[in-house]
Amino acid sequence: MTAAGSLTGELANWASALRVEDVPDRVVALAKSQIVSQLAAIRAGAAHPLGAKLVRAFGSPLQADPARAACVLAGLGSWLNLDDTAYAGHLSNSTVAVPLAFVRAGRMDGAALLGAVVAANECAARITAAATLGPFRGQTAAHTSLAGAVAGRLHCTGAPASEWREALGLALTMPPWTLMHGFLGGEARVLSAFAPVRMAMDACDAAAVGVTSAPDILEHPQGFLARFATVPLPEAVTAGLGRRWHTETLSFKVRPGGPGIDSAVDCALEIRRLAARQPVGVPGSPEASGTAGPENIEEVVVETSYYTMHAARLAEAHDQQSLTPASVLPLSVPYAVATALIEGDLTVADFAAPATEDARRWQLAKRVRMVEDPLMTRDLLHSEAPFGEALRQAGDRGAQWLDGFAGPRAARLLGRPGEPVPDFRHATKHTGARVTVRWADGRSLCARRDIPIGAAGPDTRARHRALVEEKFRAVGGGAEVARACAELESAGPEQVSDLLTAALTAE
């Protein structure tokens, strides 16, 4: 196989030549919202004590060296689960963070930034999709950041396709293999995007001076997909280039939290609003009696998909109440739902002391019971994200993988997966939840959400700009900065530099 005929070669040829004017307006609009959303995630990460440790260790996200700044930006924006996801992967930690650093350092314009973000999205999502039916997903799939960082940097620097091919090959030759115990058992998760982005920067430096890689590193029988995918999908790497825009599958996180937590929190907040209109004893209810408190809630039932149950079980193994590692809390459905019911919101501050030492939250969290809803599992399996499209591309092989991941019932729920979609204009991410709160006096309230606020679906396609601007303001970002991002394609180099500096500077 020639280098140009390999998967990395074909992807590199297309992505290196991509310019923002080649991208449909609807996709560019999503990329602009993605930048605002990830700037918010970076600000949030920097404001947390663990983010402060990262900065002390590795320097400011605004430091002069763009490669090192990119790593810090990636780390700050990742670990609170405020980063944006897509089919497939947690993209923005690399696909936004790296272009931000190199565009600012290179004094490039807004069109260059948008082009780099979309090109990086498409490369990272496609390589991640090819390995989605494997042992890693979400933030544990470090190879997403490897691919996104290489593409984001090299698009900004105008590197030729041959350099892209070698850098991608070098980066994917020795990819990180995440250990879940360490990922959740301490604070190492803050490095989950930092480390692969740093590896990608080294791969780019090596490729620039002529270090070569195996051209068929993705598809070779002893290559990346053979090791990182139980059911490899090499066809996903190049399927529909210029037609199937993975950027259209973006889901924007409006609050911190892992898979399915967002919909459960949406429901909890809706119940709290409903309860405020009747004296049922929810903490903070204006009509509630003076003795209202968490003890008035007898039980909270969260019905959700297998995927959310799976992530929650991983978090539960590291639950130490107020001593629970900060890396675990964004995956804890009981803690998130209890916090939402008590505080009326879920913010970055809820994942650090003194909030994490609040005994009321942990007392209520003990009364949160999770139950799998098979129909929600079925809906998740049939939506494009997080892995429904991979199941369609895999066909019968996908059902076999699903049986191993979630058991035979999930494979039966999937049924016939159908054909891969021609494009992602109507992509959805069904990570639903139904929350029921029961009080000691016998009254109860229930709320359901199938697609969480901000996740891929018709509501997000209609108002993603407003959602991300609100997210940015909620973490202290200036409204004028968020609004300016809506006109990025016409912003000059000085405007972009000033905009990014303002966006990343604490007020």
Side-chain angles (χ1 to χ4, degrees), residues 76-90:
L76 291 175
S78 62
W79 69 276
L80 278 168
N81 280 95
L82 260 175
D83 56 316
D84 304 315
T85 64
Y87 171 70
H90 284 243

Side-chain angles (χ1 to χ4, degrees), residues 126-343:
R126 289 166 175 276
I127 289 173
T128 306
T132 285
L133 303 184
F136 300 116
R137 59 197 41 80
Q139 291 186 340
T140 64
H143 47 272
T144 303
S145 292
L146 282 178
V150 167
R153 172 175 169 171
L154 296 187
H155 200 279
C156 287
T157 59
S162 58
E163 195 170 312
W164 284 59
R165 183 178 63 246
E166 303 301 353
L168 284 169
L170 292 170
L172 292 167
T173 294
M174 290 166 277
W177 185 276
T178 304
L179 301 180
M180 185 60 74
H181 177 68
F183 184 76
L184 295 178
E187 295 183 336
R189 186 178 173 191
V190 76
L191 300 175
S192 63
F194 179 101
V197 168
R198 190 163 186 163
M199 291 178 66
M201 297 300 97
D202 291 342
C204 290
D205 288 339
V209 298
V211 178
T212 62
S213 65
D216 54 353
I217 191 63
L218 281 171
E219 63 269 38
H220 190 275
Q222 296 178 359
F224 171 80
L225 289 178
R227 186 73 176 92
F228 277 74
T230 308
V231 179
L233 300 173
E235 64 275 20
V237 177
T238 56
L241 287 170
R243 185 183 73 250
R244 279 167 51 103
W245 296 97
H246 283 253
T247 302
E248 289 195 271
T249 68
L250 278 168
S251 291
F252 301 102
K253 285 292 184 69
V254 298
R255 298 183 195 88
I261 284 181
D262 37 14
S263 50
V265 170
D266 289 340
C267 292
L269 294 175
E270 176 62 20
I271 288 172
R272 195 177 190 276
R273 287 189 288 269
L274 293 171
R277 295 196 281 269
Q278 53 179 289
V280 293
V282 169
S285 171
E287 292 84 5
S289 70
T291 59
E295 66 277 6
N296 295 92
I297 297 177
E298 188 172 75
E299 182 183 43
V300 181
V301 179
V302 178
E303 298 167 88
T304 187
S305 72
Y306 174 86
Y307 190 43
T308 301
M309 298 285 292
H310 172 72
R313 281 192 289 268
L314 293 174
E316 186 179 5
H318 297 272
D319 186 345
Q320 302 174 47
Q321 299 288 290
S322 62
L323 299 178
T324 300
S327 299
V328 176
L329 288 177
L331 300 178
S332 173
V333 175
Y335 178 81
V337 168
T339 297
L341 287 169
I342 292 171
E343 300 296 330

Side-chain angles (χ1 to χ4, degrees), residues 30 248 250 384 424-430 449-452 454-464 467:
L30 284 163
E248 289 195 271
L250 278 168
E384 282 71 24
F424 292 122
R425 294 186 193 213
H426 306 292
T428 60
K429 183 179 183 180
H430 282 77
R449 179 169 286 275
D450 293 319
I451 298 176
D459 179 67
T460 297
R461 280 189 284 275
R463 62 187 189 106
H464 55 84
L467 287 171

Side-chain angles (χ1 to χ4, degrees), residues 3-5 8-18 161-162 164-165:
T8 53
E10 187 175 347
L11 187 62
N13 288 340
W14 177 80
S16 63
L18 183 70
S162 58
W164 284 59
R165 183 178 63 246

